[in-house]
Amino acid sequence: MTPATPVTRANEEPAIPWATVVGIGADGWPGLPEASRAALADAEVVIGGPRQLALLPADACPAEQVPWPSPLRPAVPALLDRFRGRRLAILASGDPLFYGIGRTLAETAGAHAFHVLPHPSSVSYACARLGWPLEDTETVTLVGRPADRLAAALHDGRRVLVLSAGADTPATVAALLTDRGFGPSRLTVLEQLGSEAESAYEGVAQDWAHPSGDALNVIAVECVRAADALRLGAVPGLPDTAYEHDGQLTKRHVRAATLAALAPAPGELLWDVGGGSGSIGVEWMRTHPSCRAYAVERSPERAERITRNAARLGVPGLTVVTGPAPKALAELPTPDAVFIGGGLTAPGLLDACWEALRPGGRLVANTVTLESEALLADRYRRWGGDLVKLSVAHAVPVGGFTGWRQAMPVTQWSVTKSVSNEFRGRTQPVSDEFRGRTQPVSDEFRGRRQPVPDEIRNRRQPVPDEIRNRRQPVPDEIRNRTQPVSKAGPEER
């Protein structure tokens, strides 16, 4: 079968794939279509995992077999270079570009270096067995990732498929569901999907007692929240009780307003400076699985607390940097947004965050002190943006009645960095090498003035007679009109 012509963009030379990536399922060689079999039979070298390589019949695939080393990702570039120029096939589980090796290969050598022949993924098989619409089913992989990340996907009534890391993953998932208030959820474990050995078993998370089964499994979760469990929504503004904190917490209503100003988008990176409990970074990352955040906190105790909050709320990938800002910011990647929740008066902090922010990025700073408020007012004057004051009051008992208890008002400055305000008010520093140095003037130019030619010195521009003698006539209706004087007293005028 002739491989499909790779897609090329305008003004690009057509790319020629030099390796074939073949998706293979638990059904092995019999489940492969003819194109995939032909690619493997024609290959001189086949790279894959030991389990995948074992599925190939030696008589049909005489190629040299090379197992992936561990750790895999660092070894990929050298392994590809080693076999470039030979007929190379690479085995992948199911669909290579769905949580598979295809992504790593494309990021290493470019997408057009490979001709991809996909196989139905385990998720497609699972939805087919369960009768779940694939587009309405969320997928979370725990392969090489912490189980805590599943917590962000738990919502009452949702269906979630978990790509398992091994035979013990079903028990791990059941324990996590119970701990996060989803103990009544039903689990179905589907093993060896697509093969003759396919099987399934199920149970309720809080009562899970099944022994470990086959390592090749997918876990289907029908989420049911316990009646007494705290409800966590999908938008910023989680209850304050969702966090472990020592009082250093951006409260719920202000937090929701802060995330609205930060405006997270998929794939973006946030600096949460003065992390406290980590709530801003946590809820930034909960908006989309591809969002990333660095929380910078000088207190080691609070830094550990941020890590625990992030894990419990489903974003264990939040990176915590322990150290004082701005020094701790020096090695961080360029942010798309910066939140400053503490330490505004630290020398150079605000300017360092502004300098690091890319054009188009957003900066949001909150404060409750007059000193920091004055600093924000100055930056608002220089760089623009929005300067607002947020006030929240809660109803509380007052004797036998109810009254309002006012929280401390929060001053919030938010601004988007553009090319114009990036340079507004900025002066170029002068290095010590040039400070105080004056440029000497040579005798050749000292005291010399540029003479003005006589033809220019004495020349005046004549005024035409038609303009010199022309006066604007006054109309008779104006010439003869006088303004009557009112006879009213000064109090009535």
Side-chain angles (χ1 to χ4, degrees), residues 40-112:
L40 292 169
D42 185 59
E44 295 178 305
V45 178
V46 178
I47 304 175
R51 179 183 62 81
Q52 298 158 345
L53 292 172
L55 296 173
L56 302 182
D59 57 339
C61 301
E64 175 187 355
Q65 295 189 358
V66 179
W68 286 116
S70 181
L72 186 152
R73 192 178 183 97
V76 170
L79 207 54
L80 292 179
D81 288 343
R82 175 182 167 189
F83 295 111
R84 184 159 187 170
R86 302 179 66 183
R87 295 191 303 278
L88 175 63
I90 301 169
L91 288 175
S93 294
D95 186 339
L97 289 167
F98 186 72
Y99 294 107
I101 189 63
R103 176 173 181 167
T104 300
L105 295 173
E107 291 174 349
T108 301
H112 294 317

Side-chain angles (χ1 to χ4, degrees), residues 16 80 120 125 141 167 180 184 204 262 278 301-302 316 335 346 405 419:
I16 300 176
L80 292 179
Y125 274 121
T141 180
R180 300 302 198 275
V204 175
L262 288 168
E301 182 179 356
R302 287 178 180 164
R405 176 169 293 165
V419 174

Side-chain angles (χ1 to χ4, degrees), residues 38-346:
L40 292 169
D42 185 59
E44 295 178 305
V45 178
V46 178
I47 304 175
R51 179 183 62 81
Q52 298 158 345
L53 292 172
L55 296 173
L56 302 182
D59 57 339
C61 301
E64 175 187 355
Q65 295 189 358
V66 179
W68 286 116
S70 181
L72 186 152
R73 192 178 183 97
V76 170
L79 207 54
L80 292 179
D81 288 343
R82 175 182 167 189
F83 295 111
R84 184 159 187 170
R86 302 179 66 183
R87 295 191 303 278
L88 175 63
I90 301 169
L91 288 175
S93 294
D95 186 339
L97 289 167
F98 186 72
Y99 294 107
I101 189 63
R103 176 173 181 167
T104 300
L105 295 173
E107 291 174 349
T108 301
H112 294 317
F114 305 97
H115 178 55
V116 180
L117 300 172
H119 188 275
S121 68
S122 58
V123 168
S124 294
Y125 274 121
C127 284
R129 301 296 185 265
L130 298 165
W132 290 5
L134 185 58
E135 68 273 16
D136 291 336
T137 304
E138 186 162 359
T139 302
V140 177
T141 180
L142 300 187
V143 179
R145 297 166 175 85
D148 287 317
R149 68 193 309 268
L150 174 60
L154 301 179
H155 298 283
D156 200 26
R158 288 290 289 170
R159 291 168 169 172
V160 181
L161 287 178
V162 180
L163 304 183
S164 180
D168 297 331
T169 303
T172 300
V173 168
L176 183 140
L177 290 168
T178 304
D179 180 64
R180 300 302 198 275
F182 283 82
S185 302
R186 177 163 292 279
L187 276 64
T188 303
V189 181
L190 301 109
E191 299 178 337
Q192 291 285 338
L193 281 165
S195 75
E196 294 181 357
E198 181 178 318
S199 63
Y201 56 94
E202 61 181 26
V204 175
Q206 61 194 14
D207 301 324
W208 195 259
H210 292 282
S212 298
D214 194 278
L216 192 63
N217 68 79
V218 174
I219 307 161
V221 181
E222 297 174 85
C223 297
V224 179
R225 181 169 53 89
D228 59 348
L230 184 65
R231 187 181 191 279
L232 303 180
V235 299
L238 299 182
D240 294 344
T241 52
Y243 292 94
E244 175 190 349
H245 64 90
D246 59 359
Q248 291 297 315
L249 172 72
T250 302
K251 300 303 190 291
R252 181 180 193 175
H253 300 89
V254 175
R255 192 185 326 127
T258 300
L259 267 296
L262 288 168
E268 289 192 324
L269 172 69
L270 170 75
W271 287 1
D272 181 2
V273 182
S277 64
S279 62
I280 297 296
V282 165
E283 296 192 27
W284 168 279
M285 291 185 65
R286 280 176 62 94
T287 62
H288 195 271
S290 64
C291 284
R292 299 164 295 144
Y294 284 77
V296 181
E297 173 55 56
R298 65 182 305 156
S299 166
E301 182 179 356
R302 287 178 180 164
E304 292 177 1
R305 188 178 293 118
I306 292 171
T307 300
R308 292 194 295 271
N309 281 330
R312 181 156 192 85
L313 293 170
V315 288
L318 187 150
T319 304
V320 181
V321 178
T322 306
K327 183 180 179 181
L329 307 175
E331 302 300 323
L332 301 187
T334 301
D336 298 289
V338 176
F339 171 67
I340 306 176
L344 266 172
T345 56

